[in-house]
């Protein structure tokens, strides 16, 4: 009816994993205090390179068409990202997860790491969030809890800063040493996102020689974090805290829910501060993202949903501009119901970010 | 009919994971060369203790009723094991997997480790296999490939030695350094079994503080080995070789089959010696055992089977005499079909061990 509400049958979309990039570390210079500028501007500091085999594919890390005309780093050009992602897929929101995780996983020299994290957050506000209201940001922090809390307190008021980013590396975030970080996020009503960094090793500490192996195993890193959060009582301390496990897959989740429940039933006296069944924390406090979709058929996917016991735990992610980008319309087999698709593409993330 | 064949409707059973034990390391002395005896008999050598929290439960590691009357180590008394396991459950076969993995995962002093492995194999033949034809053994080896191959060659002819045991520790068995071990097993027509040792750490190398965490994550160690075997081309070199992943769960298997297929499709040029889809190696070359059954309902279990695409990949295991022992009649929900139960309880293991 004229003048009445128009209900579109089109799916709404929130993309929960978009990697905006700096062109080079020099992009951080305007936001760094003078004492730190010299390391990048004059002394040639570069981030550590954590894995040796990133060149297995031509342009391994990126979609071929995501390189800007001037040859800059894919993901570093707002206009191109807007065109290829926000506008093309008519997204309601896209959550920028960035890449400058190294400030968090870096071991030592925490003061410089803290400065890099702050500079990166200011860069994200200045060059990205200010340009489009559909963009949401992630607060990058250093690993050292006191500095991390300061940075969360500094950035939380920005209306587009939607979460605190805890990259996954070679340490477990559930350790009580890190609890002030969770306390700060919780105090500001911000959810946590966890995303792998390159600084992970295989279970067992051995190094698995090939990128295909590294890629196959990196969900292990997420399992380790989930186990660590639950057994250390994070969700008993902060029952309303939500954590998104981004780019770690979701196919393993029902397995780990069952596995932890079974272990907990037999051994709960060891961790009496953990009050609920582990699978309850999965369902109430954790969300998982779609990309990379491991070619599950609709039936296989519904098996996973059935074993999770919830349709609310999975959120769409594209991973733009990386090579294994999943566009929203091709992420899920068409046989999945429209209502479940709408939850995954939009509603679950809307609720997670309280949009 | 009198004189005709009697077909029992009762399920036949093969138990693929039974931990026979030494009472103490002194049980190895009769089988050790003189030069090594002194370390145990006189100098007080004991195996390393790998995890600090084994006393979370009373009698943590063992079934309460499995302690022999004389107070010896559970699993060290043949008569009791025969009564509680072989006879009670009317088993056709039980595969002894032992515990003396430390000779394999021990770092350094490989000559002594090789002597311990040999002594343990001789002890197994002498005190166990010779007493009951239903018992099958596992060849324990040192980690050092040359000595390992010698030990396989020494033991393979024993008609009850059914497999070569590769414990899972902090290194990946697919590394080409270890290929002579697979070559030797393959040459003798013996399958490989992998079973976790206590010497595993979490993904990321961090230590997860609690036994409930350690227990929840130990399937990661199996995922790492599986990825390592496939990407290093073990099953292309030895297409008929079978590997049993024992006590690592099976619920994660469909997830990893999909995950590896998906990674392989995108990155196969990195490992051109891997000729088939990873899921093909899972289905044709690997078997997984039931214990610990993580409380899956029949429907959830059938979801897993559906996603595996095979009914032939799972074999029953009890884990006797450990505390989380699964008796055959209670391992699976009753709604699972008799024909599938018979595969899991008997036929899949019969085919794996060519019995």
């Amino acid at each position: 009816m004229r003048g009445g509400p128009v209900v579109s049958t089109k799916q709404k979309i929130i993309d929960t994993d978009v990697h905006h990039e700096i062109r080079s570390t020099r992009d951080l210079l305007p936001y760094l205090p003078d004492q730190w500028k010299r390391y990048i501007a004059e002394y040639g500091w570069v981030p550590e390179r954590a894995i040796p085999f990133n060149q297995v594919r031509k342009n391994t890390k990126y979609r071929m068409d995501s390189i800007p005309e001037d040859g800059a780093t894919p993901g570093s050009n707002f206009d191109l990202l807007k065109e290829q992602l926000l506008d093309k897929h008519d997204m309601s929101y896209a959550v920028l997860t960035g890449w400058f995780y190294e400030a968090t996983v870096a071991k030592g020299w925490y003061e410089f790491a803290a400065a890099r994290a702050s500079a990166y957050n200011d860069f994200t506000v200045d060059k990205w969030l200010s340009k489009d209201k559909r963009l949401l940001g992630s607060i990058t922090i250093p690993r050292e809890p006191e500095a991390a809390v300061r940075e969360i307190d500094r950035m939380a008021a920005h209306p587009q800063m939607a979460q605190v980013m805890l990259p996954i590396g070679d340490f477990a975030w559930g350790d009580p040493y890190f609890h002030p970080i969770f306390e700060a996020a919780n105090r500001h009503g911000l959810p946590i996102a966890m995303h792998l960094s390159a600084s992970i090793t295989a279970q067992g500490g051995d190094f698995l020689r090939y990128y295909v192996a590294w890629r196959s195993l990196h969900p292990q890193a997420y399992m380790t974090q989930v186990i660590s959060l639950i057994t250390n009582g994070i969700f008993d301390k902060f029952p309303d805290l939500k954590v998104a496990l981004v780019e770690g897959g979701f196919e393993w989740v029902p397995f780990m829910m069952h596995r932890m429940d079974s272990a907990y039933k037999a051994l709960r006296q060891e961790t009496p501060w953990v009050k609920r069944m582990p699978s309850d924390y999965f369902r109430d406090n954790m969300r998982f993202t779609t990309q990379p979709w491991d070619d599950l058929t609709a039936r296989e996917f519904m098996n996973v949903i059935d074993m999770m016991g919830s349709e609310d735990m999975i959120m769409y992610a594209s991973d733009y501009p990386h090579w294994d980008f999943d566009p929203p319309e091709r992420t899920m087999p068409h046989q999945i119901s429209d209502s479940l698709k709408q939850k995954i593409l939009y509603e679950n993330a809307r609720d997670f970010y309280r949009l």
Side-chain angles (χ1 to χ4, degrees), chain A:
Chain A
M1 271 175 289
R2 273 179 53 197
V6 177
V7 178
S8 167
T9 56
K10 198 171 171 313
Q11 303 276 12
K12 287 183 166 183
I13 295 165
I14 298 172
D15 185 344
T16 61
D17 189 20
V18 178
H19 294 280
H20 70 307
E21 304 251 1
I22 50 176
R23 287 167 302 180
S24 81
T25 48
R26 300 188 71 86
D27 276 359
L28 301 179
L29 289 176
Y31 312 100
L32 277 173
D34 284 345
Q35 70 176 112
W36 300 114
K37 283 191 206 305
R38 75 188 84 164
Y39 297 108
I40 290 173
E42 296 173 46
Y43 301 172
W45 177 90
V46 286
E48 285 173 47
R49 183 167 177 215
I51 54 176
F53 37 40
N54 226 11
Q55 274 66 42
V56 161
R57 305 171 82 255
K58 185 178 175 192
N59 209 9
T60 296
K61 199 173 164 186
Y62 301 110
R63 258 173 64 163
M64 295 293 181
D65 65 351
S66 66
I67 305 172
E69 279 184 17
D70 61 0
T73 309
S76 68
N77 184 311
F78 167 74
D79 292 323
L80 189 60
L81 184 143
K82 176 175 179 297
E83 173 198 325
Q84 292 188 328
L85 190 73
L86 297 176
D87 293 346
K88 174 165 184 189
H89 301 290
D90 193 15
M91 290 183 170
S92 300
Y93 296 97
V95 183
L96 300 179
T97 49
W99 77 274
F100 215 70
Y101 311 141
E102 68 74 30
T104 318
V105 295
K107 291 183 176 79
W109 212 7
Y110 290 146
E111 295 77 8
F112 186 28
R116 295 197 302 272
S118 294
Y120 188 63
N121 290 328
D122 289 340
F123 159 85
T124 295
V125 169
D126 193 26
K127 300 294 186 191
W128 292 88
L129 302 186
S130 67
K131 290 183 178 168
D132 201 308
K133 289 294 175 201
R134 293 171 292 180
L135 295 177
L136 302 174
S138 308
I139 301 174
T140 293
I141 57 169
R143 183 202 305 207
E144 196 283 300
E146 210 170 313
V149 169
R150 271 201 305 276
E151 187 62 16
I152 294 169
D153 287 343
R154 189 177 77 88
M155 297 308 301
H158 193 287
Q160 286 164 274
M161 277 297 186
Q163 62 191 7
V164 177
M165 173 59 72
L166 305 190
I168 296 175
D170 274 359
F171 56 97
W173 281 108
D175 192 289
Y177 173 71
F178 297 115
H179 288 200
I181 295 173
F182 293 88
E183 193 280 325
N186 189 62
R187 179 161 38 82
H188 290 290
L190 286 172
I192 300 278
M194 291 193 179
H195 189 296
L196 86 159
S197 73
S199 302
I200 58 168
T201 50
Q203 186 287 329
D206 204 351
F207 184 80
L208 284 186
R209 303 176 75 97
Y210 306 109
Y211 182 50
V212 67
W214 188 90
R215 183 177 168 77
S216 296
L217 69 80
H218 76 54
Q220 288 187 2
Y222 292 76
M223 298 178 202
T224 298
Q225 298 301 332
V226 161
I227 293 170
S228 173
L229 295 183
I230 292 176
T231 55
N232 283 284
I234 283 287
F235 302 114
D236 297 279
K237 274 192 175 176
F238 312 112
D240 297 324
L241 187 70
K242 309 282 187 196
V243 178
L245 288 305
V246 181
E247 202 176 338
F250 57 84
E251 300 86 347
W252 56 269
V253 171
F255 144 67
M256 191 50 74
M257 293 169 79
H258 279 98
R259 178 99 193 157
M260 288 198 76
D261 278 2
S262 176
Y264 179 76
K265 282 181 207 167
L267 300 166
R268 70 179 76 187
Q269 71 275 21
E270 185 192 20
T271 54
W273 50 88
V274 179
K275 298 297 184 193
R276 307 175 68 199
M277 291 295 283
S279 58
D280 291 333
Y281 302 111
F282 275 86
R283 269 185 291 265
D284 288 353
N285 299 95
M286 298 184 208
R287 297 295 178 260
F288 302 86
T289 62
T290 53
Q291 189 280 336
W293 184 276
D294 285 341
D295 296 341
L296 294 183
T297 64
R299 192 180 70 193
E300 289 163 342
F301 180 68
M302 293 314 296
N303 282 344
V304 171
I305 294 286
D306 180 54
M307 293 174 76
M308 281 180 168
S310 169
E311 295 190 343
D312 303 334
M313 293 167 67
I314 300 178
M315 311 192 292
Y316 166 69
S318 76
D319 202 31
Y320 180 91
H322 292 169
W323 65 273
D324 42 359
F325 172 83
D326 283 338
E329 70 279 6
R330 288 211 315 270
T331 282
M332 287 173 276
H334 66 88
Q335 300 93 330
I336 293 173
S337 75
D338 282 347
S339 68
L340 179 53
K341 274 187 185 155
Q342 186 62 102
K343 284 190 166 194
I344 293 169
L345 287 170
Y346 181 77
E347 292 171 9
N348 293 343
R350 178 199 64 197
D351 296 347
F352 182 82
Y353 294 111
R354 301 181 191 166
L355 297 170

